[in-house]
Every structure is written in C-alpha cells, then in structure tokens.
Amino acid sequence: MFDKILVANRGEIALRIIRAAREMGIGTVAVHSTADADAMHVRMADESVCIGPPSAAQSYLSFPAIISACEVTGAQAIHPGYGFLSENSSFVQIVEDHEIVFIGPKADHIRVMGDKITAKETMRALGVPCVPGSEGGVPDLEAARASAADIGYPVIVKATAGGGGRGMKLARTAEDLESAFQTARSEAKAAFGNDEVYLEKYLGTPRHIEVQVFGDGRGRAVHLGERDCSLQRRHQKVLEEAPGPTITPEERAEIGRICADAVARIDYIGAGTIEFLYENGQFYFIEMNTRLQVEHPVTEAVFGVDLVREQIRVAAGLPMEFEQADLAIRGHAIEVRINAEKLPSFSPSPGRITQYHAPGGLGVRMDSALYDGYRIPPYYDSLIGKLIVHGRDRPEALARLSRALGELIVDGVDTTVPLFHALLQESAVQTGDYNIHWLENWLETNL
Ligand code: ADP
C-alpha cells in the first residue's frame, strides 16, 4: 500500500479522498492555489503545497506544478477527484512516465471514452445498447442532412469532445438542422478546441439512468446498480438517487451484467459510470465517465461500500474487496447538490460564510468543505456541498431529506437550498414520476 498520496483537487471531493486515505493509514498531500490557502482541504491534509495563482489553468490544471508537488513531497500516487485533470489522458500518461501511480483508469481507456464517437463505437462492439445515430462524425451539413433523414427527426447534434452539457443542439425538423449543426460546431470549437460533431435520435421523454461499474484491471469487474439523475437543469444534474425508482430488479441485473462484462473485457481498472437514457423500458448508452462521479455517495449508501478506498486499493495492486455476489442494495439514498447560486437566475454567489451548521442524525451525510468564516472564492465551480440521505425506502429518504435540509444553515451567500424545499412539495418528486425535461419546465413556471 502507498505511504502517501497527493490529492489533485479542492473542495468537498478533496476532503472525501483525504478521509478515505486517513482511515487506510495513508499520508495525504493537498495542493492549492493562492486563492485556496485557507481552504479546508489544506487544513485537513497532512501536508500541503501551493501550486500557483487562482486561475485553474495555472494551478489545479497545471501538469508541471502537480508533478513537482508529488516529487517534492514524495507522494507515490495521485488521486484526481472529479473535474480538473480526472479525465485528461495526456496528464495520466505524464504521471505514469514519472513513475507515479494515477488512481484511476489507464490513459488509453480515458482517451477512448473521452471522445464520444469512439466511446459509442467501443461500447456497441462490447454489446452495450446505444442511441441510434450517425455512423461516427458528420463532417458537413450535407452529411448531417443525409444522416438526420436516416435517423428521423427530431435529432440532437452533439460534440464528440462534449462535456457539461455544452456543444449540444436540438433540431426538431429539417429546417432547424443547419443552425443546430453550425451552433453545435462553433460551441464545441470554442469550448473544447474540437469541432467534430455527430447526430443522435433525440429522445423525447427519457430518464437519465447511469450504472456504476468497478474493475480490477485484470479482467474482473462488478456493477453497483444504477443511479437516477433525471432532475437536471441545462443538462446538469441537480438531485440524484439510488436505486432508480422505476428500475426493476430484473432490469438492474441485466443492464448491470452487460456493463460489468463490457468493462471486464477491456481490463478496466477502478470506478467508472456508464450513462444511459432510459425510455419505454429500453436503455440507450450516451457516454462513459472514467472517474468517480459527484453523485457516488448515493451508491455508497445503498451498497455500504467505500468507492474511494476501493479505487486506492486496486491502484496499489490489491484485489477488490467485493464480488458481485456480495453486493446487495439496502434501502434508498438521495443526494442534492447545494450550490452557492442566487435563484432564480442561478448566478454564482461567492462570498464569506457567516454561519455554517451541517445537519446530522440517522442516515444523514454532509460532504462539504465549508466552515464558519470561510470565503468562497469566485474562481471555481459553485458546488459547496452535497447532502446525502439514506432511508429504509424512498418515502423515508424523502422525509429525511426534508428534515435535514431544515437543519442546514449556510448564511452569508445565496444557495440552492430553497429550490430543494420547493421541489420536495411537488407530487412528481414525491412519486418519482418525471423525465429529464421535467425540472426545466417546472423552473419556467415556478421560479
Ligand atoms: P455531457 O457530456 O455534456 O454531460 P451527455 O451526452 O452526457 O453530455 O448528455 C447530457 C444530457 O443531455 C443527458 O443527461 C440528457 O439530458 C441530454 N441528452 C443527451 N443526449 C440526448 C438524446 N439523444 N436525446 C435526448 N436528450 C439527450
């Protein structure tokens, strides 16, 4: 096992990793920008290294700064968390070239899954059901027209390098296609430096269902059921739960087996998430994330596992601590993402926290790097905490969420907490009867 690992991230996920490492008796190195000198992850780690100015490009995304921090402190491995360098295959390659262990998948797997066209081709070949769409990329408008006619409208134009919901445009009819195609291309070029796009059938009322997989890198892999992340704003998740309220045990076993087999066959190592749209009882693959997800705690809650501990173990060459037969779901878990944002515009609301009180009690987990007097810097994303509740069933989890939100105090900045209080009153949320468009429609009339 490693003596010391470096955590190449900040905020709640950096704390999450430091906590797992400490329980395993592993030393931790935090890295931080000058804007984060008094951040909680710096206080909580055994050692810390300042890696640059506030701009993420010059700090949390700087290869040389992070590699030097590893070398200076003697850390043997790097955990990237999510975001930043977690899915950057060039970074992973350089880490490996320096004989440092990357706690995550191999660079090749990240590269293949990071390009949505090659990801889809790979998954289809591995027997995973995909959304009907173009054969690979569409180079020009003419090709797009031909492909859309084949697929049938409505279609969605998507960037192969896409992420965070950017570079995605809907064309309801043939008349919309030209502008959807051009806008998706220019957005993709601006956001990712790659303007390649492809087409997919646009599904009208799907749910977002994603399967958690875990591999040992040596041909063994398991699945840990699914998460339903259908409550989205601008293609970004707002609330996630496990298990999916509409997924039957038979469906779970079948799609889970398909996913676990697929990653086992490519010797995938560590945690991964295979994302699907789910409509009329069918699963359609959209993308794979080769990292720990923001919403991993709901899976941890219902399966009683520590995914970060497992990531560290397999990266160190140890076997997984569980087999498929050991994994069973107990109860129901829900996570809400608490952002420092002002409603109804969701504009960022950085600033000083004058009072912070985390909820507690049975079945409540609060993952947050906030503390009294902390100043949220304006440079990074607005997620300030995740509240995760676990109950014996979905109604109990909902009641617990409402109770825990009532205990939470975050004063000094605006947060998305009032959104969740309001959502919990909705019968669609209480019954789980919604699709990926429900929240957008609700926001239009209720905020
Ligand atoms: P990103 O990597 O930018 O998050 P995804 O491919 O994961 O992009 O898609 C994000 C979200 O966009 C999905 O959860 C869904 O809400 C919507 N979406 C993507 N593809 C389709 C599609 N073919 N039909 C309808 N909605 C889609």
Side-chain angles (χ1 to χ4, degrees), residues 159-163 165-169 181-197:
T160 191
R166 282 170 305 170
M168 232 186 294
K169 287 284 164 265
F181 180 75
Q182 307 298 4
T183 330
R185 279 243 296 218
S186 50
E187 254 186 50
K189 180 87 194 164
F192 315 109
N194 173 355
D195 68 358
E196 186 170 28
V197 297

Side-chain angles (χ1 to χ4, degrees), residues 141 145 148 153 155 170-181:
L141 186 59
R145 285 216 171 95
Y153 287 92
V155 297
L170 168 66
R172 292 204 176 275
T173 64
E175 286 70 61
D176 299 344
L177 187 66
E178 179 166 5
S179 102
F181 180 75

